[in-house]
Amino acid sequence: MKLRSLASAILSGLLVLGTPTLASSVTLSAEVGGAAVAVRGNPASVRSPVQTGWFFTGGAWYYANAQGVTQHSRWLKDAGRWYYLSSSGAMATGWLKDGGSWYHLAANGAMAIGWVFTGGQWYYLSSSGAMATGWLKDGGNWYHLAPSGAMTAGWLQAGGQWYYLASSGEMVRGERLIDARFSTFDSSGAWLGYTPTDFVAINLATLNVRTGPGTSYGTLGTASRGQVFHRFASMNGWHKINFEGRTGWVSGSYTTTAAQSSPGWTAWPSSRPSPTASRVHVLNGNIPNEMCVIPFMPTHKIHCRAVNDLAALNVAYKARFGTNLPIDDWQYATFRSYADQVTVKNTIFTAFTATPGTSPHGWGLAIDFLEGSAYGYGSTIHNWLIANGPTYGWKLMPWHQQTGSLKEYWHFDHAR
C-alpha cells in the first residue's frame, strides 16, 4: 500500500514539474524500503523548440520573428540591410515590383543600392532602393536611364534636343569623334551639330554674345577682336557659335566668316603647314576655347579632337611601360597660344622654331616628349612610339625623323 502511494506521489510530481520540451520520455527513480522503483512516461503533448531568425528549408530562406511566426509579404531590415519576404514567406531575389517601384535584390537577398549590372545592362537603384529612370547625376557626370531602367548609350533625343551617351553611360560635352564625324555638344550636353567647316572671327573690340539671334536676347558674355569660333548655323544675319561651352549668337555685322579650306584658315592640318596668307595667326594660337585638358596631365591642354586619341595612346603605353606617356612638363610642350609662339621664337629657340602663327602647337595638334638618350632616336621608347603612335593618330613627321631636315625626335603631330 505504501509502495502504491509513493508511486502515485511520484506521478503527481511529474505533472507539477510540467511537460519536457526536448525528451521523448522521462524516467524517475526512488528507493522505497530498500527497493528501487522506476516510473517512465512519454507524454503526447511534448512540443518542438521555437524557430526564430533566418532558417533554410525547401530550397528557400525564411525569417521567423521572436515569437516564431514566419514573416511574409513585407520588407525586413536585418543587420543594416533590407530584405523582402514574399507571400509564401520565401526571401525574394532578383527584380521585385512593390508600390509602383522596381527594386533589385541580390542573390543573398539584400536590396541593391547604386549601380547594378544584370541581364547585360546597367541599372541605378536610388538610396531608397527604387530603380531610377530618366536623367541621373552621379559623381559629377550625367547619365540617362530608359523607362525600363537600363542605362542609355549612344544617341538620345529628349526634350527637343539630341544628346550622346558614351559607352560608359556618361553624357558627352565638348567635341567628340562619333561615327567617323566630329560633333560638338554644349555644356548641357545638347548637340550643336557636326563640327563645321567654317569659322567666325570677331572684328569689333568688344562684341556681345547673345542667347539667341537678335539683340532682344540675353547676353552670355563678350568676345574680343581677333577671337575665332566655329560657326554652326546662321539666321537673320546672326551666327550660331560655341561660346565657352554654351550655344551663343553673334551679329554678322561685326564678324568675318572664312571656310576651312580657304588660304590661311586651315584649321586641322594633316601635315606641317606652310601657309602664305598673312592672316594665318587669326586662328593659329587663338582658339583656346577649343582646347581640352589632357586627362593624365591636367596642367596641359591639346585640341579636343585629339585628346581622346592621346588618352588611348597613353593607355597602350602604360600597359607596355607601366607609366604615363613621357610628355615634357615644359609649359610650351602642348598647345601654344600665339603669344607663346612669339616668346618661344624670340627668346628660347630662335633658329628652328616655326614662325608664330604657323606652329602645329598653335592648333593644339602637337606634343613634345621628354628629351634624352632614353627617349631619342633608336631608344626602346622612341621605337615604340613610332610603331604604335600612328594607330592613335600621333606621328613623327618625315622632316622630324633622323633623316629629315628638322630633326626633332621629341615632336609628334596629330594627323588623322
Side-chain angles (χ1 to χ4, degrees), residues 208 210-219 238:
N208 286 328
R210 298 188 178 274
T211 58
T215 55
S216 61
Y217 291 89
T219 303
W238 288 73

Side-chain angles (χ1 to χ4, degrees), residues 3-16:
L3 191 57
R4 275 197 197 130
S5 298
L6 182 57
S8 297
I10 292 173
L11 287 173
S12 299
L14 280 174
L15 295 176
V16 173

Side-chain angles (χ1 to χ4, degrees), residues 159-183:
Q161 299 282 358
W162 281 98
Y163 300 84
Y164 190 82
L165 294 307
S167 58
S168 63
E170 295 179 12
M171 181 187 73
V172 171
R173 287 173 282 196
E175 192 178 47
R176 182 69 63 92
L177 180 64
I178 302 169
D179 301 328
R181 297 185 70 178
F182 280 96
S183 286

